[in-house]
Amino acid sequence: MQGTTDRRRGAVVAALMLSMALAALDSTIVSTAVPQIVGDLGGFSVFSWLFSGYLLAVTVTLPVYGKLSDTLGRKPVLIAGSVLFLAGSLLCASAWNMAALIAFRVVQGLGGGAIQGTVQTLAADLYPLEERPKIQAKLSTVWATSSVLGPALGGVLASYAGWRWIFLINLPIGAVALYLLVRHLHEPRRQRTARPKIDWAGALAVFAAGGALLTWLVQGGVAWAWGSAPSIALLCTGVGLIGAVFVIERRAAEPILPGWVWRRRTIAAVNLALGAMGLLMVAPTAFLPTYAQSVLGLSPTAAGFVLSVMTLSWPVSAALSQHVYRRIGFRDTAALGMTAAFVLLAAFPLLLPFPGEVWQPTLLSLLLGAALGLFQLPLIVGVQSTVGWAERGTATASVLFYRQIGQTVGAALFGAVANGVISARLGSGADLDSVARDSGADGVRRAIDAAVDSVYVGAACAAGVALLVLLTLAPRRFPVLESEPPGPIADEGGQEKSSAVQLPDQQHSPPVQEKSPHAD
């Protein structure tokens, strides 16, 4: 029986890894195929919405799917999201113009939000606390590998098979993942006192509010000026819709965004800290490749390597973090990682000479990945371990949602900072997009170097905010549940799981009693 259970769990883990690979690949694989897509469909002026539309849909649906997975179960939400993602992929491959492709990318994003949040939640359901770092490290490795291989794979497919294959390749991968989920994932039945009430009004309001505000952030200063009528209209609409969300959620029986997410000190602090991490991540992911090409004079492939070393050290550090937080606790482990990240981000503008050697930013990138792996994983595992099954989907989606919000805000904020520095150096008509192509002039190289330095200073400030939040708002010992209801797969005996390894958080904090979704 145990061997059968292990095989089932292994099959489900394989399905989760394939699903995560789909979501990770789709965030990067399109980038290198843009010239072929634009050459075939046109629409160069709006092609950035291929990325923005997907980002918007994923971000605003994360809390919706989190609540639905707590209400309906993980399996139906993940299957529905995967089917929607694959349908969007098929539609993207059949797009006849840029407007249709952008609309179908939004459909993909609606499914991608379910995949990202539910995969992370199921990973926590499958394993007891002491084993969760293993599955999280596997998922981190899949994400890192897919992110690195995505651009290369997209370029190969676009060059030799046609750009439509970057979407068609999702279909066989997704089909295998769906088969494994349907065949091997069996969630235990849970008693419900009443038919679950789904807060569709709240879901629609969250989607509308998030869409308006994220469109304002993504397109402000790009498609229109910040002070223009469209920008102001979107901002006012978003703020008004946030007010509507508060009204709807206060009246809902089972709200999509429950108040306990912010009333619980641990989850609120982690939301803020991961939001700050999302913001600081924009510096290496968006600006380091430009620095490597325009300042150091590297080829696009070599510039990608400078960034990719961060994705190599991240999962290794995440996998090893369990040996640290078992000794000193979740919060202090995360604080240790963010302290290192702060030092590394601050070192970029302070220590790197102009133009510098390639090994210098590469080494900083490698160490930064290790620092952030030590920061992020303990917080996600820690939050998941403070709630029971009925709240884990909402809690997981919450921290992922605010991390995604941080990335979106960071892209808009640091883009404005970089353009401002370049304009001050080269004249009011210059911006990052136009000058990055001309790396021959020494003045241009120095302007880009100064712009990226300023971005890294901002990222160091964000790291400081994350560290301050952890040390002042997060409890030193997370209130970890010492026992949990049985999760999927390993439910044949119907026995509760108990953590075999005592954590500092468990030793110093009384266990939190699991609440039903109606508790708040």
Side-chain angles (χ1 to χ4, degrees), residues 53 63 97 113-114 117 135 196 228 231 267 288 298 307 327 339 342 346 394 397 490 495:
N97 59 32
I135 180 61
S228 65
S231 185
I267 301 177
L288 187 57
L298 301 181
L307 175 62
R327 292 180 176 272
T339 300
F342 173 81
T394 299
Q495 299 298 317

Side-chain angles (χ1 to χ4, degrees), residues 385-388 477-484 496 499 502 504-515:
S385 303
T386 65
V387 295
R477 304 299 181 189
F478 283 19
V480 173
L481 284 171
E482 293 191 12
S483 62
E484 303 172 25
E496 288 190 345
S499 179
Q502 282 286 314
D505 305 81
Q506 291 174 301
Q507 293 168 356
H508 296 292
S509 296
V512 177
Q513 297 301 315
E514 183 179 354
K515 300 180 181 181

Side-chain angles (χ1 to χ4, degrees), residues 369-444:
L372 293 177
L374 196 63
F375 169 78
Q376 178 178 262
L377 184 63
L379 292 183
I380 293 178
V381 173
V383 163
Q384 291 176 331
S385 303
T386 65
V387 295
W389 186 95
E391 297 174 338
R392 189 173 291 137
T394 299
T396 302
S398 174
V399 298
L400 297 179
F401 175 72
Y402 288 102
R403 185 187 66 183
Q404 197 90 353
I405 289 290
Q407 287 181 306
T408 306
V409 172
L413 176 62
F414 291 149
V417 168
N419 282 327
V421 172
I422 288 174
S423 295
R425 293 266 182 155
L426 300 179
S428 59
D431 59 41
L432 189 63
D433 291 333
S434 61
V435 302
R437 305 186 192 96
D438 181 16
S439 59
D442 184 70
V444 170

